[in-house]
Amino acid sequence: AAEHAMKRIIPILSISVSFLACGDGRESGTEEPARVEAPAPAPPVSAPASPSGPLSIPGWYAYDDAANSVHITLVAGETDRNNYWNYNGAIRGELDITVPLGTTVTIDMVNNDPAMAHSVGVSAELENFGAPPAPIPVFEGAITPDPQSMTVGGLPGETQTMTFVADAAGEYSLVCYIPGHSAVGMWLYFTVSADGEAGVQGL
């Protein structure tokens, strides 16, 4: 009788083990969706070469030789291009804004983006814009207030003004420091010319 009882228990145990191994019979994934690993970050992309060709003076660029000053109106979101993340309609270094060495530069950043804050500053970064550069301007005063904030500085409809002296010749960039904006192209070249050149290339 004991042997007969053991024979009955063994199949029952087999069924139980099989049931545990196979689950409850429902299709896999119906209770909890499979976890998807985040994609690996893209490698840094080299910035395009700065535009070449003659310098021109658009309506948003005013150079006063006698006062040794430049006044630039930089419109963030001037068009809906690139989700409004552009300066005067340009992205990814398509414009090179040049000012003479030693000039006092005033930049009015007008935010026409209907939904997003923007900022601008003169950065030493020229190669990798995949992450926003550190908000440390090349020239004292050459950055808008709260440049990384999406809720405080540079809100839609606002104008922010920065004034600085371009006292070191070289090639720099104008960058939006809001996280993610430079990565999708919200930056331009900015050159301080030792030869007294003034104007914009790439128009």
Side-chain angles (χ1 to χ4, degrees):
E3 184 180 349
H4 182 68
M6 285 296 292
K7 286 180 180 178
R8 292 176 61 189
I9 291 170
I10 289 172
I12 291 170
L13 290 173
S14 299
I15 292 169
S16 300
V17 171
S18 174
F19 180 80
L20 291 171
C22 297
D24 59 7
R26 288 180 286 199
E27 290 185 10
S28 175
T30 57
E31 286 294 310
E32 182 179 343
R35 296 182 182 225
V36 179
E37 293 294 326
V45 178
S46 296
S50 59
S52 57
L55 288 160
S56 59
I57 305 291
W60 47 265
Y61 183 112
Y63 174 47
D64 187 333
D65 189 21
N68 197 29
S69 66
V70 173
H71 193 147
I72 296 165
T73 301
L74 199 65
V75 181
E78 182 179 65
T79 71
D80 63 2
R81 185 183 184 205
N82 199 40
N83 193 38
Y84 292 95
W85 296 2
N86 61 73
Y87 291 125
N88 292 357
I91 60 174
R92 294 189 179 89
E94 291 174 337
L95 298 180
D96 189 348
I97 300 172
T98 299
V99 301
L101 176 64
T103 51
T104 297
V105 180
T106 298
I107 297 179
D108 292 328
M109 192 205 75
V110 181
N111 188 0
N112 279 1
D113 189 320
M116 179 62 66
H118 294 293
S119 64
V120 69
V122 181
S123 172
E125 183 60 65
L126 290 171
E127 295 181 0
N128 178 28
F129 294 91
I136 303 171
V138 173
F139 309 108
E140 184 178 354
I143 194 167
T144 53
D146 302 298
Q148 294 180 308
S149 173
M150 290 185 280
T151 59
V152 178
L155 298 176
E158 291 186 349
T159 297
Q160 291 186 313
T161 299
M162 63 187 195
T163 300
F164 59 93
V165 177
D167 56 6
E171 189 171 78
Y172 310 105
S173 58
L174 290 171
V175 178
C176 182
Y177 293 92
I178 302 293
H181 291 202
S182 65
V184 297
M186 198 166 181
W187 64 273
L188 302 176
Y189 285 107
F190 183 81
T191 299
V192 177
S193 170
D195 298 329
E197 294 181 320
V200 181
Q201 290 172 297
L203 293 171

